[in-house]
Amino acid sequence: MILGCREAVATTGVSKLLMLLIAIQSAALASFGEGPDFDPKYYVDIPLRFNLNETARAFDALPRFQNNTIASNTLEQFVMQYFDTAGSDLIASTPRDYNPSPTNFLPRVQNVTVRKWALQIHELWLELTRKVSPSVAMHPEKHTLVPLNCSVVVPGARFKEVYYWDSYWVIKGLLVSGMTETAQGIVENLMELVERYGFVPNGARVYYENRSQPPLLSQMIRAVYTKTRDLTLLKRSLPILLKEYAFWTSAPHEVRVRDHKGEEHRLSRFWGHWNSPRPESFTIDINVTQGMNKTRAAHLYHDIATAAESGWDFSSRWMEDQQNMETLRTSMIIPVDLNVFLFQMEKNIEYFGKILVNQIVETRFANAAKDRYRAIQRILWSRKNGQWFDAWLSYDECSLSETNKRTVVVYEWVQKRLTYASNFVPLWAGVLPKGDVRKERVVEALRTSGLIQSASVATSLRNTGQQWDFPNAWAPLVDMVIEGLDASGLTRGRSMAREISRDWLRSNFVAYQQVGKMIEKYDATSCGKIGGVGEYNPQTGFGWSNGVVLSLLQKYGWPADEPMFCPEPLS
Ligand SMILES: *[C@@H]1O[C@H](CO)[C@@H](O)[C@H](O)[C@H]1NC(C)=O
Ligand SMILES: *[C@@H]1O[C@H](CO)[C@@H](O)[C@H](O)[C@H]1NC(C)=O
Ligand SMILES: *[C@@H]1O[C@H](CO)[C@@H](O)[C@H](O)[C@H]1NC(C)=O
Ligand SMILES: *[C@@H]1O[C@H](CO)[C@@H](O)[C@H](O)[C@H]1NC(C)=O
Ligand SMILES: *[C@@H]1O[C@H](CO)[C@@H](O)[C@H](O)[C@H]1NC(C)=O
Ligand SMILES: *[C@@H]1O[C@H](CO)[C@@H](O)[C@H](O)[C@H]1NC(C)=O
Ligand SMILES: *[C@@H]1O[C@H](CO)[C@@H](O)[C@H](O)[C@H]1NC(C)=O
């Protein structure tokens, strides 16, 4: 259970296929060097053309220099001969419900140029929708891709497979595009994954099967249901959601804490079931732990995998020393956003129970949501600061004796009062503080937080070189902040929501005019500028960015005679 405490073995639990691909990834780094074109993930995504044993034998037989590296042209030849290209096991597929000029598309977007842009984004669904090749289900031993029955919509570029939390914003966009059937197919795929694994993996690759991502499946089902009113979907989803709920609300994800009045609460944390380098970033992760002993390295690998489960990989938010990746301790933090996502899941299941006239489920989840609301307010809310903060747990299971491990641990904790966009996600998930005065405080706290920059909402206030930090702005966070401010019901909140939406749309539009693409992240401080830093180059495509633009255009429209451009900077 408490995997993070075990000794690391470089490739724990990794299949023979992954072991071979990782060996090729490491050889490629040695042969080609780490230029901007070297992407370790590429080497775990290439499908085998022949059987595994034969390929492994051929790899072992390649001539090597004395320093054990392989000549770059020899390795290149080998990869070309024995593998197909990454992504070739996903085949282009025009979704049946795609219409190049959908009926009643964005009626409130009246500026002709802006409408044209929206239609170009709509057209990107064609590029991002794929079907898993039948060869994957026939020969799973040759692919790291996980077979799925329905069409998939991928984020784009190096992300050639389905991702869990991305899918929520993809679905939001698809529903604006009138592609309900495709949206429903995505939900179907994710439900099949829960049936297989007991949770939704980070993404549909075998190397993602030991961690999840922010749990938004119930919210996706609700979005599709709201459009279709299809009771069959709700009936099918209920046992699946109960399974996923159990994953997030049992140990080691769930922990117990006591509030200052001595009352005990249960809240959840992220916890990757992995304590080795991530296969898709193996060469990066082993580099980070250089010089550490095995126990220490295993801990760090575990907190790296856990950060990947959080969706915020990587961020100073999970680091003891905000500039030092070695001080990650993601698994010992109770995150605000995860717990409000679970609150939302509880409310959604309650709602589905009500519609399906399943009173047992309805009552159970109404109570669970009440308990979690109370826990969030007692442990994570700060009245003084008008926002919610992550709680840091103050000791590690690994330091407990064997006897203590078997008893239930009630953790000591402390709020870490640092500013992150996640501090305001409760508004989006309906965790509103009671009374307008407190709501005003939250809106005011956000307004003066420093997160709201000229072009968008920054992820944090600190530039650390990590991609989930200042000055990057990410579509899902921007969307949750906008929707949350809107849901506050306050005049000031709603007008801020509108302004942030306008700034975000302008920035996405101007960047699109410049580079002809939608990007995964933008720079909050500069209209039209794309985001940077982190583990890989900025990726294009891009599922959730497209979904958020379409849904904001749907919500707010754009007047006929209003241009969309970056405002002149104030001099
Ligand atoms: C591959 O090799 C292993 C031993 O290394 C053997 O057990 C297995 O049967 C072989 N598989 C095939 C398909 O040849
Ligand atoms: C390994 O040896 C070869 C041939 O001597 C040389 O070209 C290459 O740069 C060496 N590579 C490394 C990583 O030392
Ligand atoms: C696809 O659907 C079939 C029948 O509906 C089911 O038996 C199978 O398990 C599904 N495949 C996957 C990969 O989930
Ligand atoms: C990773 O997940 C797979 C599939 O759920 C499971 O079989 C395996 O035991 C897990 N590995 C670890 C180290 O937990
Ligand atoms: C390994 O770490 C060094 C020092 O931080 C860095 O310069 C280098 O780019 C890293 N290499 C890889 C493959 O991540
Ligand atoms: C490993 O390193 C950590 C800190 O760097 C240290 O506290 C621990 O005692 C070391 N463990 C072993 C087995 O050497
Ligand atoms: C619509 O927006 C475009 C792009 O900013 C702008 O060039 C154009 O002038 C706007 N149309 C009108 C009628 O204002």
Side-chain angles (χ1 to χ4, degrees):
M1 191 69 86
I2 299 166
L3 182 75
C5 309
R6 288 206 208 119
E7 285 287 295
V9 180
T11 48
T12 344
V14 159
S15 67
K16 218 179 144 188
L17 170 62
L18 269 177
M19 263 157 76
L20 172 65
L21 296 177
I22 288 168
I24 295 171
Q25 179 194 102
S26 303
L29 176 62
S31 300
F32 305 135
E34 53 163 310
D37 293 335
F38 177 75
D39 182 357
K41 184 172 180 298
Y42 183 84
Y43 297 94
V44 291
D45 291 350
I46 46 181
L48 261 63
R49 300 178 63 189
F50 309 104
N51 83 41
L52 179 59
N53 284 359
E54 191 183 335
T55 312
R57 265 198 306 272
F59 178 65
D60 289 341
L62 290 178
R64 282 156 170 86
F65 295 124
Q66 257 174 358
N67 58 19
N68 207 31
T69 65
I70 301 165
S72 55
N73 58 351
T74 308
L75 186 60
E76 205 176 332
Q77 261 292 301
F78 164 76
V79 171
M80 263 167 50
Q81 189 182 345
Y82 281 86
F83 294 89
D84 288 320
T85 52
S88 58
D89 40 10
L90 281 154
I91 44 196
S93 142
T94 303
R96 281 201 312 204
D97 53 0
Y98 175 79
N99 175 350
S101 35
T103 43
N104 199 27
F105 184 62
L106 300 176
R108 298 175 57 214
V109 176
Q110 281 149 4
N111 174 306
V112 177
T113 316
V114 176
R115 269 196 85 75
K116 207 173 123 207
W117 176 51
L119 274 168
Q120 284 164 345
I121 294 176
H122 167 72
E123 205 180 320
L124 289 172
W125 297 131
L126 284 182
E127 226 172 273
L128 300 177
T129 309
R130 318 271 162 85
K131 262 193 143 16
V132 175
S133 156
S135 62
V136 179
M138 261 150 43
H139 294 287
E141 76 286 358
K142 290 185 178 169
H143 303 262
T144 54
L145 198 62
V146 174
L148 291 167
N149 274 335
C150 300
S151 286
V152 300
V153 178
V154 302
R158 83 195 280 265
F159 301 113
K160 297 179 177 71
E161 50 283 318
V162 167
Y163 283 81
Y164 181 13
W165 76 315
D166 294 62
S167 294
Y168 172 67
W169 287 276
V170 166
I171 285 175
K172 253 186 126 174
L174 287 170
L175 293 177
V176 173
S177 283
M179 294 169 65
T180 314
E181 192 186 317
T182 305
Q184 190 147 356
I186 294 176
V187 167
E188 181 57 38
N189 284 336
L190 298 179
M191 291 197 299
E192 279 176 13
L193 290 172
V194 178
E195 285 178 324
R196 200 170 327 160
Y197 295 102
F199 61 94
V200 183
N202 185 145
R205 288 275 180 188
V206 294
Y207 53 76
Y208 288 144
E209 70 189 10
N210 299 86
R211 59 183 200 242
S212 187
Q213 245 191 347
L216 295 174
L217 178 58
S218 73
Q219 191 68 3
M220 298 182 213
I221 293 168
R222 188 159 183 163
V224 171
Y225 172 75
T226 303
K227 196 84 171 188
T228 62
R229 301 285 160 190
D230 173 12
L231 285 176
T232 334
L233 171 66
L234 290 197
K235 276 195 202 118
R236 163 144 167 69
S237 75
L238 198 57
I240 289 169
L241 289 174
L242 296 184
K243 204 167 177 181
E244 193 196 19
Y245 183 72
F247 169 81
W248 288 103
T249 56
S250 56
H253 282 98
E254 186 172 87
V255 293
R256 297 176 187 215
V257 284
R258 240 189 285 283
D259 65 28
H260 61 281
K261 292 178 183 160
E263 192 183 325
E264 197 175 297
H265 302 279
R266 295 171 185 216
L267 286 165
S268 293
R269 58 175 161 179
F270 292 109
W271 186 279
H273 284 276
W274 199 245
N275 63 355
S276 307
R278 293 164 300 160
E280 75 281 14
S281 301
F282 196 92
T283 51
I284 300 173
D285 290 357
I286 54 166
N287 196 26
V288 174
T289 57
Q290 255 176 35
M292 291 180 189
N293 65 41
K294 279 186 173 179
T295 313
R296 171 103 176 77
H299 269 95
L300 185 52
Y301 290 142
H302 176 238
D303 281 317
I304 287 174
T306 300
E309 179 167 276
S310 82
W312 288 44
D313 41 334
F314 293 97
S315 171
S316 64
R317 187 177 166 199
W318 313 126
M319 297 174 195
E320 195 118 46
D321 164 356
Q322 292 198 293
Q323 301 285 350
N324 185 356
M325 181 82 175
E326 289 179 21
T327 67
L328 271 181
R329 44 168 294 184
T330 331
S331 57
M332 292 302 288
I333 297 170
I334 298 177
V336 171
D337 45 3
L338 173 59
N339 284 284
V340 304
F341 294 149
L342 292 174
F343 170 82
Q344 184 184 54
M345 190 194 292
E346 287 155 351
K347 296 300 285 182
N348 286 338
I349 299 176
E350 176 195 344
Y351 173 70
F352 300 160
K354 184 170 172 182
I355 291 172
L356 297 172
V357 206
N358 184 334
Q359 204 168 2
I360 295 174
V361 166
E362 186 188 345
T363 310
R364 176 182 158 206
F365 282 88
N367 289 334
K370 250 184 232 142
D371 289 347
R372 191 174 304 270
Y373 179 86
R374 194 177 167 83
I376 289 171
Q377 292 308 92
R378 289 288 178 81
I379 309 293
L380 306 175
W381 166 248
S382 162
R383 196 172 166 172
K384 176 163 167 275
N385 299 76
Q387 61 199 281
W388 295 261
F389 293 109
D390 296 338
W392 283 49
L393 303 175
S394 59
Y395 58 78
D396 197 310
E397 277 99 324
C398 303
S399 64
L400 297 176
S401 71
E402 282 306 316
T403 10
N404 281 342
K405 270 182 198 167
R406 279 192 291 274
T407 65
V408 175
V409 178
V410 180
Y411 285 93
E412 302 290 317
W413 56 275
V414 59
Q415 272 187 5
K416 185 124 166 178
R417 300 198 170 179
L418 293 175
T419 306
Y420 291 98
S422 47
N423 298 6
F424 299 94
V425 168
L427 291 181
W428 174 72
V431 181
L432 299 171
K434 302 226 161 68
D436 277 357
V437 176
R438 284 196 190 175
K439 281 188 218 162
E440 293 275 8
R441 267 193 88 82
V442 179
V443 171
E444 187 57 15
L446 173 57
R447 197 182 65 79
T448 56
S449 64
L451 293 171
I452 313 277
Q453 294 285 322
S454 66
S456 191
V457 185
T459 307
S460 77
L461 300 182
R462 207 178 264 237
N463 189 336
T464 61
Q466 302 297 343
Q467 60 170 354
W468 289 84
D469 266 314
F470 189 88
N472 282 347
W474 290 86
L477 289 176
V478 172
D479 186 57
M480 289 189 285
V481 166
I482 292 170
E483 296 275 4
L485 283 167
D486 193 50
S488 72
L490 304 171
T491 314
R492 162 147 227 151
R494 302 183 75 158
S495 71
M496 271 171 69
R498 196 174 269 279
E499 277 165 39
I500 296 169
S501 166
R502 197 211 306 243
D503 292 340
W504 179 250
L505 288 169
R506 283 169 163 167
S507 196
N508 280 236
F509 174 79
V510 170
Y512 186 87
Q513 304 309 312
Q514 285 163 6
V515 298
K517 288 185 193 305
M518 292 295 292
I519 319 288
E520 63 166 348
K521 56 186 180 257
Y522 294 85
D523 183 327
T525 64
S526 178
C527 178
K529 190 169 167 206
I530 67 177
V533 303
E535 205 170 84
Y536 51 80
N537 299 326
Q539 301 295 301
T540 57
F542 195 94
W544 63 21
S545 301
N546 306 357
V548 169
V549 164
L550 292 177
S551 101
L552 291 176
L553 285 173
Q554 164 115 321
K555 189 180 178 86
Y556 293 113
W558 199 274
D561 54 0
E562 187 177 329
M564 203 180 245
F565 57 71
C566 289
E568 291 291 322
L570 298 175
S571 51

